[in-house]
Amino acid sequence: MGPFLDLMKNALFSPTSSAAVSPPKASPSPNSTGLVHFGSPKFYVFCGMGGSICCGFTHLIITPLDIVKCRMQVDPIKYTGVVQGFKVAVAEDGFRGLARAWAPTTIGYSAQGFGKFGYYEVFKNVYGSMLSEENAYTYRSWIYLAAASSAEFFADFFLAPFEAVKVRMQTSSTAPKTMRECMPMIYKKEGMYGFFKGLPPLWTRQIPYTTVKFVCFERIMELMYKHVVPKPRAECTKTEQLLVTFSAGYLAGILCAVASHPPDVLVSQLNQDSSATLTSAAKRLGWKGMWAGLGARIIMIGTITAMQWFIYDGWKVLMGIPRPPPAEMPESIRRKLEEGDRKRQQ
């Protein structure tokens, strides 16, 4: 554990530490204002703040679709589709009902976003620093995966209590309609367990979602600048870079929705029914039931993910936070490949 702790300390407190998955020319240097250095504590805090803003805001504005999606998962007979689900929800609760549970949604995902994005930057730097420059580039997808998984594991502790309240308010007809009433009710009936019993299925939903979200985004961005965007990233305007970010985020979001949907259904079932267990919920749903509401979730997650990356990258631009470009092949590997090509041609 000694070497790992030293690396973690260097990643957190050295203002000149660099993520090995970034090319040498992108090694962290002070930004134009000299206020934020890559790898400094301030850098990670600012990244966490950007994650909090993008996750909290996007989940807040998507609350109506989230309500319909959750109800399609727990009552597919009554809520048979997105459009029909909105009609039923409005008929029963009015348009005001489509904003139900906005408070736990916003607070929960703001807290989770801080941990998700902030910890991701930390762990990406730490894990990348464990490898040589060549290995960090070669195995960069595994670094992204490990960093995203580690970040989400801790971030979900912040989210779980608010997710329990949110789903209970959105899907249970007997639950109070405000967070300040619903939280005491859950605690009185189930204790602290009521807030965290959905944590294991939350991990099975969020960790695959986040790993796909970050790994796919990183690699799609890399491919887009290599094969789609007609000029190098350094020559693109900030607006053009943000448009590429949004496009890569939406594609990654679609893959996220599919990869994490069955656990999302289980989370809704467990938090809707206080007597349900993971096994009983899975047995009652069956394989087909695990995919209820997928269409709504693809729209929701695709849009959320694209907006999150757009806002997060925009926040970095606004605050002058260093933004290393997509990973590029180190010169040492390029020379080896060129030498190999020459030998094969001889």
Side-chain angles (χ1 to χ4, degrees):
M1 288 294 290
F4 177 83
L5 293 175
D6 290 340
L7 283 167
M8 178 69 84
K9 182 179 178 180
N10 290 335
L12 286 170
F13 298 107
S14 172
T16 58
S17 63
S18 63
V21 293
S22 299
K25 66 181 181 181
S27 291
S29 57
N31 66 351
S32 58
T33 63
L35 296 178
V36 182
H37 299 260
F38 183 96
S40 67
K42 191 172 185 179
F43 170 79
Y44 294 123
V45 170
F46 272 42
C47 288
M49 290 171 63
S52 180
I53 293 169
C54 73
C55 289
F57 174 73
T58 52
H59 279 85
L60 171 63
I61 64 175
I62 212 75
T63 295
L65 183 58
D66 187 39
I67 290 174
V68 174
K69 182 266 299 181
C70 288
R71 292 180 181 179
M72 288 172 63
Q73 292 172 343
V74 301
D75 193 355
I77 297 177
K78 186 176 181 179
Y79 295 85
T80 58
V82 177
V83 176
Q84 190 269 349
F86 270 107
K87 290 180 179 178
V88 174
V90 171
E92 292 185 345
D93 299 326
F95 285 101
R96 187 175 181 179
L98 293 177
R100 181 176 295 182
W102 68 269
T105 297
T106 306
I107 297 171
Y109 282 95
S110 294
Q112 184 230 26
F114 187 95
K116 177 188 295 189
F117 282 85
Y119 289 153
Y120 175 73
E121 299 287 358
V122 171
F123 284 114
K124 185 170 70 168
N125 196 4
V126 170
Y127 296 151
S129 299
M130 292 179 175
L131 304 177
S132 66
E133 183 185 32
E134 290 187 1
N135 284 335
Y137 175 80
T138 302
Y139 301 107
R140 61 194 182 282
S141 292
W142 292 102
I143 293 174
Y144 302 148
L145 187 150
S149 300
S150 301
E152 188 61 46
F153 177 84
F154 292 106
D156 284 346
F157 282 98
F158 305 145
L159 173 62
F162 297 99
E163 181 76 359
V165 175
K166 175 186 81 75
V167 174
R168 189 70 62 89
M169 289 174 62
Q170 290 178 343
T171 61
S172 175
S173 59
T174 59
K177 295 183 179 181
T178 64
M179 185 178 75
R180 66 176 179 272
E181 294 174 334
C182 191
M183 291 191 83
M185 182 205 73
I186 294 175
Y187 182 77
K188 183 177 180 180
K189 289 184 176 181
E190 304 173 52
M192 290 301 296
Y193 174 73
F195 296 112
F196 290 97
K197 72 173 184 177
L199 185 57
L202 191 62
W203 277 328
T204 65
R205 180 190 81 184
Q206 289 297 131
I207 291 178
Y209 162 76
T210 299
T211 54
V212 173
K213 173 180 181 176
F214 283 91
V215 175
C216 289
F217 174 78
E218 298 270 18
R219 296 308 300 267
I220 290 172
M221 281 278 286
E222 187 180 325
L223 291 172
M224 288 186 72
Y225 277 112
K226 186 176 182 180
H227 300 292
V228 179
V229 181
K231 54 185 176 182
R233 178 179 183 264
E235 297 177 12
C236 295
T237 65
K238 291 294 191 294
T239 300
E240 290 171 336
Q241 291 178 16
L242 291 174
L243 288 175
V244 174
T245 297
F246 183 87
S247 301
Y250 208 101
L251 292 173
I254 293 173
L255 297 174
C256 290
V258 176
S260 61
H261 190 70
D264 182 61
V265 178
L266 286 173
V267 169
S268 295
Q269 287 284 334
L270 286 171
N271 288 320
Q272 186 264 345
D273 184 357
S274 61
S275 64
T277 64
L278 184 61
T279 303
S280 66
K283 185 176 181 180
R284 181 170 66 250
L285 286 167
W287 178 249
K288 185 177 180 181
M290 293 282 195
W291 297 98
L294 178 60
R297 193 158 189 268
I298 285 177
I299 297 171
M300 184 180 79
I301 297 301
T303 304
I304 282 178
T305 305
M307 292 181 65
Q308 284 178 356
W309 281 116
F310 183 84
I311 294 171
Y312 182 65
D313 210 25
W315 167 261
K316 284 187 170 183
V317 170
L318 179 66
M319 302 304 294
I321 303 171
R323 301 164 58 240
E328 296 178 2
M329 183 181 294
E331 189 61 32
S332 57
I333 295 181
R334 195 184 309 278
R335 287 196 298 267
K336 289 179 182 178
L337 293 176
E338 291 174 353
E339 181 65 24
D341 291 338
R342 283 196 297 268
K343 288 182 178 180
R344 282 192 294 271
Q345 292 172 4
Q346 292 176 353

